[in-house]
Amino acid sequence: MRTIVTLTMNPALDVSTSIHSVAPEIKLRCAAPGFHPGGGGINVARAVHFLGGKACAVYAAGGHTGEKLRQLLTDEGIDQLALPIAGTTRESFTCYEDSSGLQYRFTLPGPALSQPEWRACLDASLDLQPDYLVVSGSLPKGVPNDFYAQLAIRARAQQCRLLIDSGGDALQAAGKTGVFLLKPNLRELERLAGETLADEAQIKQAARRLIESGMTEAVLVSLGAAGAALATRADYVSLRAPIVPIRSKVGAGDCMVGGLALALAQGRNLLDAARFGVAAGSAAVMTPGTQLCRKDDAERLYAQMAKPPLVPP
Ligand SMILES: Nc1ncnc2c1ncn2[C@@H]1O[C@H](COP(=O)(O)OP(=O)(O)OP(=O)(O)O)[C@@H](O)[C@H]1O
Ligand SMILES: [Mg+2]
């Protein structure tokens, strides 16, 4: 079993509650809050854990919210390395409106990191000598635009495969050295490509261009209910998502990346790992609220996907 580390530069303490109906101006009295760890890489590590694997979550944390985040991860039994920062970890606030079934999600920017702080995160995640390093989520203020490029250079030098699930301009800067895999959704791929992508042929072409530019060896484009597409230099494969009852889409992307990383760490090939990622993403959709995926759901969906399609009578 190879090792997985996730890096989250801008984690969050997720606070969730519910109310009968949301209205302006009046005091909104909400139900008792629930607290959960949040932030891309942190949720990827949690997804790996729920899928039966092991990943160490490295993240920047500060203040009482940072301490609460550390405690919640300890309670869940997640391996972690919290790097202290002077600022206070942000909170994300989700409120379910019972009358409509709608969800209101508020996210805040998070504290700026100083140079020693972001460098400590970068150093610590690579010093763990992971085989797979997953960087996921937004970059906070203070982190330079060449952050991914610096990571990519260091990762390559120590034969660590870097997987990035993040939008934003900093990704472009990773381009020169190249990473192992990018996991954009359609919107993020359009942003990287600098154009709208209207059909599968255009998606394929955009993914191919990223690979040919040297930015990445592989692109796993997630397409929500439609599944995903895996592009490498040699291949382009569409992966249809299984049809599942939809409870909440929160965490689908993180579970997909968690499933992918776990399967790769188990030594499975990239296509098989991507398929398990799709299954884990779809398993996340089956759980309510902010709950991530369940192992038995992911494995059952994966087994269904691996079967040849039914031939109509
Ligand atoms: N409605 C759905 N039905 C089945 N599977 C789904 C559905 N929505 C998402 N998935 C699964 O989850 C994976 C990732 O979803 P999506 O493409 O929405 O990622 P994302 O936009 O990065 O999500 P996130 O908002 O969590 O970052 C999909 O490839 C698919 O396997
Ligand atoms: Mg995403």
Side-chain angles (χ1 to χ4, degrees):
M1 180 78 185
R2 297 180 195 130
T3 56
I4 306 168
V5 166
T6 71
L7 175 58
T8 317
M9 299 303 287
N10 200 10
L13 173 65
D14 283 348
V15 184
S16 58
T17 186
S18 62
I19 193 165
H20 180 262
S21 50
V22 175
E25 303 289 346
I26 56 166
K27 223 178 233 179
L28 298 171
R29 295 194 188 279
C30 302
F35 297 95
H36 300 281
I42 284 186
N43 277 335
V44 172
R46 294 173 70 222
V48 170
H49 176 78
F50 296 142
L51 291 167
K54 244 175 90 136
C56 180
V58 175
Y59 59 97
H64 67 289
T65 41
E67 179 48 36
K68 176 86 179 167
L69 178 60
R70 199 187 58 75
Q71 190 58 53
L72 290 168
L73 288 170
T74 302
D75 293 348
E76 283 188 355
I78 312 291
D79 281 351
Q80 59 177 314
L81 182 55
L83 281 309
I85 56 167
T88 300
T89 296
R90 65 186 170 143
E91 283 172 277
S92 294
F93 182 72
T94 303
C95 187
Y96 297 92
E97 189 183 48
D98 295 333
S99 57
S100 64
L102 295 176
Q103 199 181 70
Y104 293 85
R105 297 173 73 186
F106 301 87
T107 64
L108 299 168
L113 265 56
S114 67
Q115 191 186 72
E117 288 171 345
W118 64 255
R119 271 195 194 286
C121 295
L122 193 153
D123 290 341
S125 51
L126 286 159
D127 287 350
L128 289 169
Q129 301 291 327
D131 295 299
Y132 294 95
L133 175 59
V134 181
V135 193
S136 174
S138 56
L139 290 182
K141 287 188 289 278
V143 176
N145 237 342
D146 69 346
F147 180 76
Y148 292 127
Q150 292 195 37
L151 258 182
I153 291 167
R154 297 260 309 264
R156 179 161 294 242
Q158 61 185 64
Q159 272 110 49
C160 163
R161 286 177 153 182
L162 185 60
L163 290 81
I164 301 185
D165 178 4
S166 180
D169 299 329
L171 257 192
Q172 301 282 4
K176 298 210 176 61
T177 307
V179 302
F180 173 61
L181 183 139
L182 296 180
K183 202 296 283 170
N185 60 23
L186 183 58
R187 213 174 47 249
E188 290 157 348
L189 181 65
E190 286 181 332
R191 194 149 169 228
L192 279 168
E195 60 186 7
T196 49
L197 304 169
D199 56 29
E200 181 134 33
Q202 292 186 358
I203 292 172
K204 179 176 175 176
Q205 200 180 41
R208 272 272 154 77
R209 270 206 296 266
L210 294 181
I211 293 165
E212 277 158 16
S213 77
M215 188 178 204
T216 183
E217 287 175 46
V219 182
L220 180 60
V221 189
S222 69
L223 301 164
L230 175 69
T232 58
R233 198 167 273 279
D235 256 329
Y236 177 89
V237 184
S238 294
L239 297 163
R240 258 171 80 177
I243 294 167
V244 294
I246 298 174
R247 309 271 310 265
S248 155
K249 293 183 191 169
V250 178
D254 295 333
C255 287
M256 175 187 224
V257 177
L260 169 81
L262 174 60
L264 286 170
Q266 289 167 338
R268 291 151 71 174
N269 68 44
L270 181 56
L271 176 58
D272 189 41
R275 193 178 284 132
F276 188 64
V278 170
S282 299
V285 170
M286 298 171 66
T287 58
T290 52
Q291 256 183 56
L292 298 179
C293 53
R294 283 188 287 252
K295 182 173 187 257
D296 54 344
D297 290 334
E299 284 174 354
R300 194 183 58 252
L301 295 175
Y302 168 77
Q304 278 171 23
M305 288 173 70
K307 275 192 206 143
L310 288 175
V311 181

